[in-house]
Amino acid sequence: AATRNLEASVYDLSKALLQNNYTRAYTILHRLFSQREEPVSILAVLSGAYTDLYRAKVAKASGVQAESLAADFAYRGKEFRLRNAARDCARISLEVLRGSLDILAEADISLKSSRADKRVVLEQTAARLIVLARTGGTA
């Protein structure tokens, strides 16, 4: 149940970030911290949510149903993630999704290789994702 709660909370977090909702995003992030979720785990699930969106967006741009990616990317039993991503990616540009994946990759490196405060790294990452979503990829 803990993993499911983490995934559900981080899915909500990704939606808040993409909707420029600072208050909701930071409320979710702080709740995860108070539940002692590992920052690396939070980032991994968040990266997965953005990856789902990116895959769905690219599939849609190629004229392919997002659900058809299930076999290619090991979504067996998790096809709902592709359906949700296909629905949610409509208002997000490919540029924003690519930039978001770059930001998440930088955060991953920072979390795993520096002595930076892991909570601060996640908070800064959330801010960068919101700014990118708000500016449409021109940040």
Side-chain angles (χ1 to χ4, degrees), residues 75-104:
Y75 283 95
R76 189 179 313 283
K78 297 179 185 165
E79 291 85 358
F80 68 93
R81 286 176 41 189
L82 290 170
R83 278 192 302 278
N84 291 344
R87 178 194 67 219
D88 296 342
C89 75
R91 294 180 305 278
I92 308 161
S93 73
L94 206 47
E95 190 178 14
V96 166
L97 290 171
R98 282 191 187 117
S100 297
L101 290 173
D102 289 342
I103 290 168
L104 291 162

PDB file of all heavy atoms in Angstrom, residues 75-104:
ATOM      1  N   TYR A  75       4.618  -2.249 -19.692  1.00  0.00           N
ATOM      2  CA  TYR A  75       3.503  -1.691 -18.930  1.00  0.00           C
ATOM      3  C   TYR A  75       2.447  -2.748 -18.616  1.00  0.00           C
ATOM      4  O   TYR A  75       1.349  -2.398 -18.207  1.00  0.00           O
ATOM      5  CB  TYR A  75       2.820  -0.554 -19.710  1.00  0.00           C
ATOM      6  CG  TYR A  75       3.560   0.756 -19.697  1.00  0.00           C
ATOM      7  CD1 TYR A  75       4.422   1.099 -20.727  1.00  0.00           C
ATOM      8  CD2 TYR A  75       3.377   1.668 -18.669  1.00  0.00           C
ATOM      9  CE1 TYR A  75       5.081   2.316 -20.736  1.00  0.00           C
ATOM     10  CE2 TYR A  75       4.029   2.875 -18.666  1.00  0.00           C
ATOM     11  CZ  TYR A  75       4.885   3.210 -19.700  1.00  0.00           C
ATOM     12  OH  TYR A  75       5.541   4.413 -19.696  1.00  0.00           O
ATOM     13  N   ARG A  76       2.758  -4.011 -18.804  1.00  0.00           N
ATOM     14  CA  ARG A  76       1.752  -5.049 -18.593  1.00  0.00           C
ATOM     15  C   ARG A  76       1.150  -4.917 -17.192  1.00  0.00           C
ATOM     16  O   ARG A  76       1.863  -4.850 -16.207  1.00  0.00           O
ATOM     17  CB  ARG A  76       2.367  -6.437 -18.760  1.00  0.00           C
ATOM     18  CG  ARG A  76       1.328  -7.543 -18.777  1.00  0.00           C
ATOM     19  CD  ARG A  76       1.923  -8.925 -18.971  1.00  0.00           C
ATOM     20  NE  ARG A  76       2.911  -9.049 -20.036  1.00  0.00           N
ATOM     21  CZ  ARG A  76       2.635  -9.105 -21.347  1.00  0.00           C
ATOM     22  NH1 ARG A  76       1.381  -9.047 -21.748  1.00  0.00           N
ATOM     23  NH2 ARG A  76       3.594  -9.230 -22.235  1.00  0.00           N
ATOM     24  N   GLY A  77      -0.168  -4.799 -17.147  1.00  0.00           N
ATOM     25  CA  GLY A  77      -0.867  -4.607 -15.884  1.00  0.00           C
ATOM     26  C   GLY A  77      -0.886  -3.150 -15.436  1.00  0.00           C
ATOM     27  O   GLY A  77      -1.493  -2.816 -14.427  1.00  0.00           O
ATOM     28  N   LYS A  78      -0.213  -2.295 -16.183  1.00  0.00           N
ATOM     29  CA  LYS A  78      -0.169  -0.862 -15.835  1.00  0.00           C
ATOM     30  C   LYS A  78      -0.570  -0.009 -17.033  1.00  0.00           C
ATOM     31  O   LYS A  78      -0.161   1.140 -17.149  1.00  0.00           O
ATOM     32  CB  LYS A  78       1.237  -0.474 -15.381  1.00  0.00           C
ATOM     33  CG  LYS A  78       1.692  -1.174 -14.129  1.00  0.00           C
ATOM     34  CD  LYS A  78       3.101  -0.760 -13.760  1.00  0.00           C
ATOM     35  CE  LYS A  78       3.575  -1.566 -12.567  1.00  0.00           C
ATOM     36  NZ  LYS A  78       5.020  -1.475 -12.387  1.00  0.00           N
ATOM     37  N   GLU A  79      -1.381  -0.579 -17.917  1.00  0.00           N
ATOM     38  CA  GLU A  79      -1.803   0.155 -19.111  1.00  0.00           C
ATOM     39  C   GLU A  79      -2.540   1.449 -18.765  1.00  0.00           C
ATOM     40  O   GLU A  79      -2.528   2.399 -19.543  1.00  0.00           O
ATOM     41  CB  GLU A  79      -2.696  -0.733 -19.999  1.00  0.00           C
ATOM     42  CG  GLU A  79      -1.981  -1.879 -20.667  1.00  0.00           C
ATOM     43  CD  GLU A  79      -1.855  -3.136 -19.793  1.00  0.00           C
ATOM     44  OE1 GLU A  79      -2.303  -3.116 -18.626  1.00  0.00           O
ATOM     45  OE2 GLU A  79      -1.302  -4.134 -20.274  1.00  0.00           O
ATOM     46  N   PHE A  80      -3.157   1.477 -17.571  1.00  0.00           N
ATOM     47  CA  PHE A  80      -3.870   2.680 -17.142  1.00  0.00           C
ATOM     48  C   PHE A  80      -2.930   3.884 -17.118  1.00  0.00           C
ATOM     49  O   PHE A  80      -3.356   5.016 -17.356  1.00  0.00           O
ATOM     50  CB  PHE A  80      -4.508   2.485 -15.753  1.00  0.00           C
ATOM     51  CG  PHE A  80      -3.505   2.366 -14.632  1.00  0.00           C
ATOM     52  CD1 PHE A  80      -3.104   3.491 -13.910  1.00  0.00           C
ATOM     53  CD2 PHE A  80      -2.968   1.131 -14.292  1.00  0.00           C
ATOM     54  CE1 PHE A  80      -2.171   3.393 -12.892  1.00  0.00           C
ATOM     55  CE2 PHE A  80      -2.037   1.018 -13.272  1.00  0.00           C
ATOM     56  CZ  PHE A  80      -1.633   2.156 -12.572  1.00  0.00           C
ATOM     57  N   ARG A  81      -1.646   3.646 -16.848  1.00  0.00           N
ATOM     58  CA  ARG A  81      -0.687   4.756 -16.826  1.00  0.00           C
ATOM     59  C   ARG A  81      -0.574   5.378 -18.216  1.00  0.00           C
ATOM     60  O   ARG A  81      -0.488   6.600 -18.356  1.00  0.00           O
ATOM     61  CB  ARG A  81       0.689   4.282 -16.352  1.00  0.00           C
ATOM     62  CG  ARG A  81       0.724   4.027 -14.851  1.00  0.00           C
ATOM     63  CD  ARG A  81       2.023   3.467 -14.329  1.00  0.00           C
ATOM     64  NE  ARG A  81       3.206   4.053 -14.917  1.00  0.00           N
ATOM     65  CZ  ARG A  81       4.429   3.577 -14.722  1.00  0.00           C
ATOM     66  NH1 ARG A  81       4.625   2.518 -13.968  1.00  0.00           N
ATOM     67  NH2 ARG A  81       5.469   4.159 -15.288  1.00  0.00           N
ATOM     68  N   LEU A  82      -0.604   4.536 -19.248  1.00  0.00           N
ATOM     69  CA  LEU A  82      -0.548   5.051 -20.622  1.00  0.00           C
ATOM     70  C   LEU A  82      -1.839   5.766 -21.004  1.00  0.00           C
ATOM     71  O   LEU A  82      -1.805   6.803 -21.656  1.00  0.00           O
ATOM     72  CB  LEU A  82      -0.266   3.903 -21.597  1.00  0.00           C
ATOM     73  CG  LEU A  82       1.136   3.307 -21.517  1.00  0.00           C
ATOM     74  CD1 LEU A  82       1.216   2.034 -22.345  1.00  0.00           C
ATOM     75  CD2 LEU A  82       2.175   4.317 -21.968  1.00  0.00           C
ATOM     76  N   ARG A  83      -2.976   5.207 -20.584  1.00  0.00           N
ATOM     77  CA  ARG A  83      -4.260   5.857 -20.871  1.00  0.00           C
ATOM     78  C   ARG A  83      -4.308   7.235 -20.210  1.00  0.00           C
ATOM     79  O   ARG A  83      -4.702   8.227 -20.834  1.00  0.00           O
ATOM     80  CB  ARG A  83      -5.435   4.999 -20.384  1.00  0.00           C
ATOM     81  CG  ARG A  83      -5.832   3.901 -21.349  1.00  0.00           C
ATOM     82  CD  ARG A  83      -7.169   3.271 -20.974  1.00  0.00           C
ATOM     83  NE  ARG A  83      -7.174   2.719 -19.622  1.00  0.00           N
ATOM     84  CZ  ARG A  83      -6.680   1.515 -19.304  1.00  0.00           C
ATOM     85  NH1 ARG A  83      -6.149   0.744 -20.232  1.00  0.00           N
ATOM     86  NH2 ARG A  83      -6.734   1.079 -18.062  1.00  0.00           N
ATOM     87  N   ASN A  84      -3.908   7.298 -18.937  1.00  0.00           N
ATOM     88  CA  ASN A  84      -3.900   8.580 -18.224  1.00  0.00           C
ATOM     89  C   ASN A  84      -2.945   9.563 -18.886  1.00  0.00           C
ATOM     90  O   ASN A  84      -3.265  10.742 -19.052  1.00  0.00           O
ATOM     91  CB  ASN A  84      -3.502   8.392 -16.756  1.00  0.00           C
ATOM     92  CG  ASN A  84      -4.557   7.662 -15.951  1.00  0.00           C
ATOM     93  OD1 ASN A  84      -5.705   7.543 -16.371  1.00  0.00           O
ATOM     94  ND2 ASN A  84      -4.173   7.162 -14.798  1.00  0.00           N
ATOM     95  N   ALA A  85      -1.762   9.080 -19.253  1.00  0.00           N
ATOM     96  CA  ALA A  85      -0.761   9.950 -19.885  1.00  0.00           C
ATOM     97  C   ALA A  85      -1.268  10.467 -21.224  1.00  0.00           C
ATOM     98  O   ALA A  85      -1.092  11.642 -21.549  1.00  0.00           O
ATOM     99  CB  ALA A  85       0.560   9.197 -20.060  1.00  0.00           C
ATOM    100  N   ALA A  86      -1.929   9.606 -21.997  1.00  0.00           N
ATOM    101  CA  ALA A  86      -2.469  10.018 -23.297  1.00  0.00           C
ATOM    102  C   ALA A  86      -3.502  11.125 -23.106  1.00  0.00           C
ATOM    103  O   ALA A  86      -3.549  12.082 -23.880  1.00  0.00           O
ATOM    104  CB  ALA A  86      -3.082   8.826 -24.016  1.00  0.00           C
ATOM    105  N   ARG A  87      -4.301  11.015 -22.060  1.00  0.00           N
ATOM    106  CA  ARG A  87      -5.308  12.040 -21.758  1.00  0.00           C
ATOM    107  C   ARG A  87      -4.626  13.332 -21.273  1.00  0.00           C
ATOM    108  O   ARG A  87      -4.966  14.421 -21.695  1.00  0.00           O
ATOM    109  CB  ARG A  87      -6.255  11.507 -20.680  1.00  0.00           C
ATOM    110  CG  ARG A  87      -7.336  12.491 -20.238  1.00  0.00           C
ATOM    111  CD  ARG A  87      -7.998  12.030 -18.951  1.00  0.00           C
ATOM    112  NE  ARG A  87      -7.034  12.088 -17.859  1.00  0.00           N
ATOM    113  CZ  ARG A  87      -6.938  11.179 -16.879  1.00  0.00           C
ATOM    114  NH1 ARG A  87      -7.747  10.144 -16.849  1.00  0.00           N
ATOM    115  NH2 ARG A  87      -6.035  11.306 -15.923  1.00  0.00           N
ATOM    116  N   ASP A  88      -3.647  13.185 -20.387  1.00  0.00           N
ATOM    117  CA  ASP A  88      -3.043  14.346 -19.721  1.00  0.00           C
ATOM    118  C   ASP A  88      -2.028  15.104 -20.573  1.00  0.00           C
ATOM    119  O   ASP A  88      -1.745  16.268 -20.293  1.00  0.00           O
ATOM    120  CB  ASP A  88      -2.365  13.913 -18.415  1.00  0.00           C
ATOM    121  CG  ASP A  88      -3.353  13.370 -17.389  1.00  0.00           C
ATOM    122  OD1 ASP A  88      -4.566  13.631 -17.530  1.00  0.00           O
ATOM    123  OD2 ASP A  88      -2.905  12.677 -16.459  1.00  0.00           O
ATOM    124  N   CYS A  89      -1.474  14.469 -21.607  1.00  0.00           N
ATOM    125  CA  CYS A  89      -0.416  15.125 -22.381  1.00  0.00           C
ATOM    126  C   CYS A  89      -0.948  16.086 -23.429  1.00  0.00           C
ATOM    127  O   CYS A  89      -0.183  16.843 -24.025  1.00  0.00           O
ATOM    128  CB  CYS A  89       0.508  14.095 -23.035  1.00  0.00           C
ATOM    129  SG  CYS A  89      -0.205  13.257 -24.468  1.00  0.00           S
ATOM    130  N   ALA A  90      -2.248  16.099 -23.635  1.00  0.00           N
ATOM    131  CA  ALA A  90      -2.829  16.899 -24.724  1.00  0.00           C
ATOM    132  C   ALA A  90      -2.453  18.382 -24.649  1.00  0.00           C
ATOM    133  O   ALA A  90      -2.174  19.004 -25.668  1.00  0.00           O
ATOM    134  CB  ALA A  90      -4.343  16.746 -24.731  1.00  0.00           C
ATOM    135  N   ARG A  91      -2.438  18.945 -23.446  1.00  0.00           N
ATOM    136  CA  ARG A  91      -2.186  20.385 -23.307  1.00  0.00           C
ATOM    137  C   ARG A  91      -0.715  20.711 -23.023  1.00  0.00           C
ATOM    138  O   ARG A  91      -0.383  21.846 -22.697  1.00  0.00           O
ATOM    139  CB  ARG A  91      -3.059  20.950 -22.187  1.00  0.00           C
ATOM    140  CG  ARG A  91      -4.552  20.904 -22.502  1.00  0.00           C
ATOM    141  CD  ARG A  91      -5.399  21.461 -21.381  1.00  0.00           C
ATOM    142  NE  ARG A  91      -5.151  20.826 -20.090  1.00  0.00           N
ATOM    143  CZ  ARG A  91      -5.678  19.665 -19.691  1.00  0.00           C
ATOM    144  NH1 ARG A  91      -6.474  19.006 -20.498  1.00  0.00           N
ATOM    145  NH2 ARG A  91      -5.409  19.173 -18.515  1.00  0.00           N
ATOM    146  N   ILE A  92       0.165  19.714 -23.127  1.00  0.00           N
ATOM    147  CA  ILE A  92       1.578  19.920 -22.802  1.00  0.00           C
ATOM    148  C   ILE A  92       2.396  19.749 -24.078  1.00  0.00           C
ATOM    149  O   ILE A  92       2.236  18.765 -24.794  1.00  0.00           O
ATOM    150  CB  ILE A  92       2.050  18.891 -21.756  1.00  0.00           C
ATOM    151  CG1 ILE A  92       1.115  18.881 -20.550  1.00  0.00           C
ATOM    152  CG2 ILE A  92       3.483  19.195 -21.312  1.00  0.00           C
ATOM    153  CD1 ILE A  92       1.233  17.622 -19.710  1.00  0.00           C
ATOM    154  N   SER A  93       3.271  20.709 -24.332  1.00  0.00           N
ATOM    155  CA  SER A  93       4.074  20.611 -25.558  1.00  0.00           C
ATOM    156  C   SER A  93       5.198  19.596 -25.394  1.00  0.00           C
ATOM    157  O   SER A  93       5.649  19.314 -24.277  1.00  0.00           O
ATOM    158  CB  SER A  93       4.672  21.979 -25.911  1.00  0.00           C
ATOM    159  OG  SER A  93       5.723  22.295 -25.012  1.00  0.00           O
ATOM    160  N   LEU A  94       5.635  19.073 -26.510  1.00  0.00           N
ATOM    161  CA  LEU A  94       6.772  18.154 -26.524  1.00  0.00           C
ATOM    162  C   LEU A  94       8.013  18.854 -25.957  1.00  0.00           C
ATOM    163  O   LEU A  94       8.801  18.250 -25.237  1.00  0.00           O
ATOM    164  CB  LEU A  94       7.014  17.675 -27.956  1.00  0.00           C
ATOM    165  CG  LEU A  94       7.683  16.326 -28.149  1.00  0.00           C
ATOM    166  CD1 LEU A  94       7.063  15.249 -27.280  1.00  0.00           C
ATOM    167  CD2 LEU A  94       7.609  15.933 -29.615  1.00  0.00           C
ATOM    168  N   GLU A  95       8.131  20.141 -26.261  1.00  0.00           N
ATOM    169  CA  GLU A  95       9.268  20.927 -25.766  1.00  0.00           C
ATOM    170  C   GLU A  95       9.293  20.965 -24.233  1.00  0.00           C
ATOM    171  O   GLU A  95      10.345  20.799 -23.615  1.00  0.00           O
ATOM    172  CB  GLU A  95       9.177  22.344 -26.343  1.00  0.00           C
ATOM    173  CG  GLU A  95      10.397  23.187 -26.114  1.00  0.00           C
ATOM    174  CD  GLU A  95      10.276  24.569 -26.755  1.00  0.00           C
ATOM    175  OE1 GLU A  95       9.170  24.978 -27.154  1.00  0.00           O
ATOM    176  OE2 GLU A  95      11.317  25.233 -26.837  1.00  0.00           O
ATOM    177  N   VAL A  96       8.126  21.174 -23.623  1.00  0.00           N
ATOM    178  CA  VAL A  96       8.036  21.202 -22.154  1.00  0.00           C
ATOM    179  C   VAL A  96       8.382  19.826 -21.591  1.00  0.00           C
ATOM    180  O   VAL A  96       9.115  19.720 -20.604  1.00  0.00           O
ATOM    181  CB  VAL A  96       6.637  21.667 -21.680  1.00  0.00           C
ATOM    182  CG1 VAL A  96       6.423  21.363 -20.194  1.00  0.00           C
ATOM    183  CG2 VAL A  96       6.461  23.150 -21.947  1.00  0.00           C
ATOM    184  N   LEU A  97       7.876  18.783 -22.215  1.00  0.00           N
ATOM    185  CA  LEU A  97       8.157  17.429 -21.708  1.00  0.00           C
ATOM    186  C   LEU A  97       9.640  17.088 -21.830  1.00  0.00           C
ATOM    187  O   LEU A  97      10.230  16.533 -20.896  1.00  0.00           O
ATOM    188  CB  LEU A  97       7.282  16.400 -22.430  1.00  0.00           C
ATOM    189  CG  LEU A  97       5.801  16.485 -22.059  1.00  0.00           C
ATOM    190  CD1 LEU A  97       4.976  15.595 -22.970  1.00  0.00           C
ATOM    191  CD2 LEU A  97       5.576  16.124 -20.599  1.00  0.00           C
ATOM    192  N   ARG A  98      10.252  17.439 -22.951  1.00  0.00           N
ATOM    193  CA  ARG A  98      11.694  17.184 -23.116  1.00  0.00           C
ATOM    194  C   ARG A  98      12.494  17.956 -22.070  1.00  0.00           C
ATOM    195  O   ARG A  98      13.411  17.425 -21.457  1.00  0.00           O
ATOM    196  CB  ARG A  98      12.160  17.577 -24.509  1.00  0.00           C
ATOM    197  CG  ARG A  98      11.809  16.580 -25.566  1.00  0.00           C
ATOM    198  CD  ARG A  98      12.541  16.905 -26.875  1.00  0.00           C
ATOM    199  NE  ARG A  98      12.049  16.036 -27.917  1.00  0.00           N
ATOM    200  CZ  ARG A  98      11.419  16.449 -29.002  1.00  0.00           C
ATOM    201  NH1 ARG A  98      11.190  17.733 -29.207  1.00  0.00           N
ATOM    202  NH2 ARG A  98      11.001  15.592 -29.895  1.00  0.00           N
ATOM    203  N   GLY A  99      12.164  19.228 -21.905  1.00  0.00           N
ATOM    204  CA  GLY A  99      12.855  20.057 -20.920  1.00  0.00           C
ATOM    205  C   GLY A  99      12.663  19.531 -19.510  1.00  0.00           C
ATOM    206  O   GLY A  99      13.601  19.546 -18.694  1.00  0.00           O
ATOM    207  N   SER A 100      11.467  19.044 -19.227  1.00  0.00           N
ATOM    208  CA  SER A 100      11.178  18.491 -17.910  1.00  0.00           C
ATOM    209  C   SER A 100      12.032  17.258 -17.642  1.00  0.00           C
ATOM    210  O   SER A 100      12.573  17.086 -16.539  1.00  0.00           O
ATOM    211  CB  SER A 100       9.692  18.111 -17.796  1.00  0.00           C
ATOM    212  OG  SER A 100       8.881  19.264 -17.925  1.00  0.00           O
ATOM    213  N   LEU A 101      12.167  16.401 -18.654  1.00  0.00           N
ATOM    214  CA  LEU A 101      13.000  15.208 -18.496  1.00  0.00           C
ATOM    215  C   LEU A 101      14.463  15.596 -18.260  1.00  0.00           C
ATOM    216  O   LEU A 101      15.159  14.957 -17.460  1.00  0.00           O
ATOM    217  CB  LEU A 101      12.859  14.278 -19.699  1.00  0.00           C
ATOM    218  CG  LEU A 101      11.495  13.584 -19.814  1.00  0.00           C
ATOM    219  CD1 LEU A 101      11.389  12.829 -21.131  1.00  0.00           C
ATOM    220  CD2 LEU A 101      11.227  12.663 -18.641  1.00  0.00           C
ATOM    221  N   ASP A 102      14.924  16.661 -18.902  1.00  0.00           N
ATOM    222  CA  ASP A 102      16.290  17.153 -18.664  1.00  0.00           C
ATOM    223  C   ASP A 102      16.441  17.619 -17.212  1.00  0.00           C
ATOM    224  O   ASP A 102      17.436  17.311 -16.548  1.00  0.00           O
ATOM    225  CB  ASP A 102      16.634  18.312 -19.603  1.00  0.00           C
ATOM    226  CG  ASP A 102      16.827  17.869 -21.050  1.00  0.00           C
ATOM    227  OD1 ASP A 102      17.035  16.661 -21.293  1.00  0.00           O
ATOM    228  OD2 ASP A 102      16.770  18.745 -21.932  1.00  0.00           O
ATOM    229  N   ILE A 103      15.465  18.379 -16.723  1.00  0.00           N
ATOM    230  CA  ILE A 103      15.490  18.874 -15.339  1.00  0.00           C
ATOM    231  C   ILE A 103      15.493  17.693 -14.358  1.00  0.00           C
ATOM    232  O   ILE A 103      16.245  17.687 -13.379  1.00  0.00           O
ATOM    233  CB  ILE A 103      14.280  19.806 -15.079  1.00  0.00           C
ATOM    234  CG1 ILE A 103      14.461  21.121 -15.840  1.00  0.00           C
ATOM    235  CG2 ILE A 103      14.078  20.049 -13.578  1.00  0.00           C
ATOM    236  CD1 ILE A 103      13.203  21.995 -15.894  1.00  0.00           C
ATOM    237  N   LEU A 104      14.666  16.699 -14.629  1.00  0.00           N
ATOM    238  CA  LEU A 104      14.594  15.529 -13.749  1.00  0.00           C
ATOM    239  C   LEU A 104      15.898  14.734 -13.769  1.00  0.00           C
ATOM    240  O   LEU A 104      16.344  14.239 -12.731  1.00  0.00           O
ATOM    241  CB  LEU A 104      13.402  14.653 -14.147  1.00  0.00           C
ATOM    242  CG  LEU A 104      12.038  15.293 -13.849  1.00  0.00           C
ATOM    243  CD1 LEU A 104      10.936  14.610 -14.644  1.00  0.00           C
ATOM    244  CD2 LEU A 104      11.740  15.269 -12.364  1.00  0.00           C
TER     245      LEU A 104
END
